Amino acid sequence: MPRHARGFDTEAAWEHLQRRDRRLGAWMKRIGVIEPEPRWKQSFDPVDALARAILFQQLSGKAASTIVGRVENAIDSRRLHFDTLGRIDDAALRACGVSGNKVLALRDLAARESHGEIPTLRQMSTMHHDEIVAALVPIRGIGRWTVEMMLMFRLGRPDVLPVDDLGIRKGAQRVDKSETMPTPKALAARGEKWGPYRTYAGLYLWRIADLAAGAKAPVNRSQED
């Protein structure tokens, strides 16, 4: 079974996108080369990463980090898994600042892990990115966007385009000088020419959206540690 490499050749991605899309290519030249995500080469624990993604949802980084720290202290571990989360009951999780919906999501994640339903990092290396999405979105509290962020920023998959992401859609609107944002379906069709480097195109679309919003620095969209 073929194994998928972590990360991709950004020079090849640059050249491909320059050839295939003149409008995007002009923006890329203006912005400059976006360097590879260093975490592509770092090992990580998918279950722990998903648990943290759940805890960080809809919160500022500072607030979420505080809650994660409380949970880690309560379970006496920095590893969020079925066995360690089993050390704390729901009331204690709520006391750490975890919402009721997130408690249910963590319990569902832990239960699925205990049943062997969460692919390991090694297993993911032999799975197409669509298979990884299909395996993880049934988890309560884990949507396609969360999995796509893992694919892009943790696994370094080269051909992922989060068409539902507002920043991606705003960036595409700016590139095409359109009065309205493209629908996810239209953006998926628009992005066909960017394959097999849709991930790299997405990184530029986010940066373009940041520039349009007047952001002084790129917005951090990768999943928290």
Side-chain angles (χ1 to χ4, degrees):
M1 192 174 295
R3 300 182 74 85
H4 295 271
R6 300 274 297 277
F8 54 88
D9 185 340
T10 51
E11 184 175 338
W14 171 281
E15 294 296 336
H16 175 81
L17 295 173
Q18 290 290 324
R19 289 195 306 270
R20 297 299 301 274
D21 193 321
R22 186 176 299 176
R23 289 180 178 179
L24 178 61
W27 274 99
M28 291 171 65
K29 289 176 180 176
R30 173 180 169 184
I31 292 168
V33 175
I34 295 178
E35 296 298 329
E37 169 60 49
R39 282 190 289 179
W40 285 351
K41 297 182 180 180
Q42 298 174 5
S43 182
F44 74 99
D45 182 333
V47 173
D48 182 79
L50 290 168
R52 292 171 190 275
I54 289 168
L55 291 172
F56 268 84
Q57 287 171 357
Q58 299 176 323
L59 292 174
S60 70
K62 183 177 180 180
S65 294
T66 298
I67 292 172
V68 169
R70 290 174 186 160
V71 173
E72 290 174 343
N73 288 334
I75 64 176
D76 192 27
S77 176
R78 286 183 54 82
R79 178 177 171 273
L80 306 181
H81 268 260
F82 169 75
D83 53 350
T84 57
L85 288 170
R87 301 171 185 172
I88 186 173
D89 61 21
D90 292 356
L93 275 173
R94 292 297 302 274
C96 291
V98 182
S99 70
N101 283 335
K102 290 182 181 180
V103 169
L104 292 173
L106 289 174
R107 295 305 185 200
D108 185 47
L109 172 66
R112 290 176 185 275
E113 180 205 357
S114 70
H115 296 144
E117 297 176 19
I118 311 298
T120 64
L121 194 56
R122 181 179 292 274
Q123 289 170 331
M124 287 183 183
S125 71
T126 63
M127 297 169 67
H128 186 274
H129 58 257
D130 286 336
E131 293 177 307
I132 297 174
V133 170
L136 299 182
V137 293
I139 303 168
R140 184 184 181 112
I142 298 296
R144 185 179 185 90
W145 183 88
T146 298
V147 183
E148 288 171 335
M149 295 306 102
M150 176 184 287
L151 288 164
M152 295 175 75
F153 293 104
R154 294 295 189 95
L155 293 172
R157 292 298 176 92
D159 204 27
V160 178
L161 184 65
V163 295
D164 295 308
D165 185 275
L166 192 61
I168 294 281
R169 293 171 64 201
K170 285 182 176 179
Q173 177 186 0
R174 189 88 187 274
V175 167
D176 291 334
K177 299 180 180 180
S178 175
E179 293 184 1
T180 59
M181 285 189 297
T183 64
K185 183 178 180 179
L187 182 55
R190 172 78 170 82
E192 286 292 328
K193 66 169 61 177
W194 301 330
Y197 294 113
R198 277 172 272 208
T199 293
Y200 203 51
L203 298 182
Y204 278 96
L205 293 175
W206 272 319
R207 191 71 60 86
I208 292 164
D210 293 342
L211 290 172
K216 295 181 179 179
V219 175
N220 179 27
R221 294 178 171 89
S222 61
Q223 290 170 340
E224 302 293 341
D225 290 321

